[in-house]
Amino acid sequence: MPQSIVEGLRKAANLDAEAPEDWVARGTYWRCMDGSVYACFVGASLPCDEKADTSREPSSAMLSYCKDNQSSTTVPAVVAGRASMYEWRCRSGAPEIIRQISKPDTRGFLSNYWYRLDRPVSVE
């Protein structure tokens, strides 16, 4: 992992300066898009390596969850999928979208997890 990516992501994502560098490097994905470098830190199971799930149709897992949790105010991400662009709830036993929480970037990944990194300052 290039040092400039690790340091750029620390700054862009406001990661704790005390977080061990090897831990940050192991949890970081990076890619190019629109002429810039973008990075994502997995952290709490963020789906850095998945394209955004744009489906407005509930999955079979969501249907099953809402059948068992008729009035749940939220469908957990582990059920809805961490890459879903929507926040879901159960209403009368059926999954329902509450709101859109993200949008795909130009390459199809969840835009709110990816940070455009500043170009590193070259030291001469």
Side-chain angles (χ1 to χ4, degrees):
M1 175 68 56
Q3 182 66 30
S4 60
I5 301 292
V6 172
E7 290 308 315
L9 183 59
R10 275 187 194 274
K11 180 180 174 186
N14 200 26
L15 296 178
D16 186 342
E18 300 299 315
E21 186 169 325
D22 63 326
W23 179 72
V24 174
R26 282 193 317 272
T28 297
Y29 287 77
W30 63 285
R31 61 189 168 89
C32 296
M33 181 176 69
D34 302 329
S36 295
V37 174
Y38 283 74
C40 176
F41 180 65
V42 174
S45 302
L46 297 182
C48 295
D49 60 342
E50 292 181 55
K51 297 280 182 132
D53 178 359
T54 60
S55 177
R56 297 181 61 86
E57 296 297 318
S59 67
S60 58
M62 285 189 266
L63 292 168
S64 179
Y65 179 85
C66 286
K67 182 180 175 188
D68 295 339
N69 300 277
Q70 299 270 319
S71 300
S72 179
T73 58
T74 186
V75 174
V78 70
V79 175
R82 297 199 185 284
S84 179
M85 293 188 345
Y86 305 103
E87 181 179 355
W88 296 80
R89 70 177 171 195
C90 301
R91 178 178 241 163
S92 300
E96 176 182 77
I97 293 173
I98 298 172
R99 64 187 175 104
Q100 185 171 334
I101 55 175
S102 187
K103 63 181 183 173
D105 62 25
T106 58
R107 299 239 349 251
F109 293 90
L110 292 169
S111 61
N112 56 322
Y113 298 143
W114 286 87
Y115 297 90
R116 186 175 68 76
L117 304 184
D118 294 332
R119 287 186 178 270
V121 177
S122 60
V123 179
E124 296 182 34

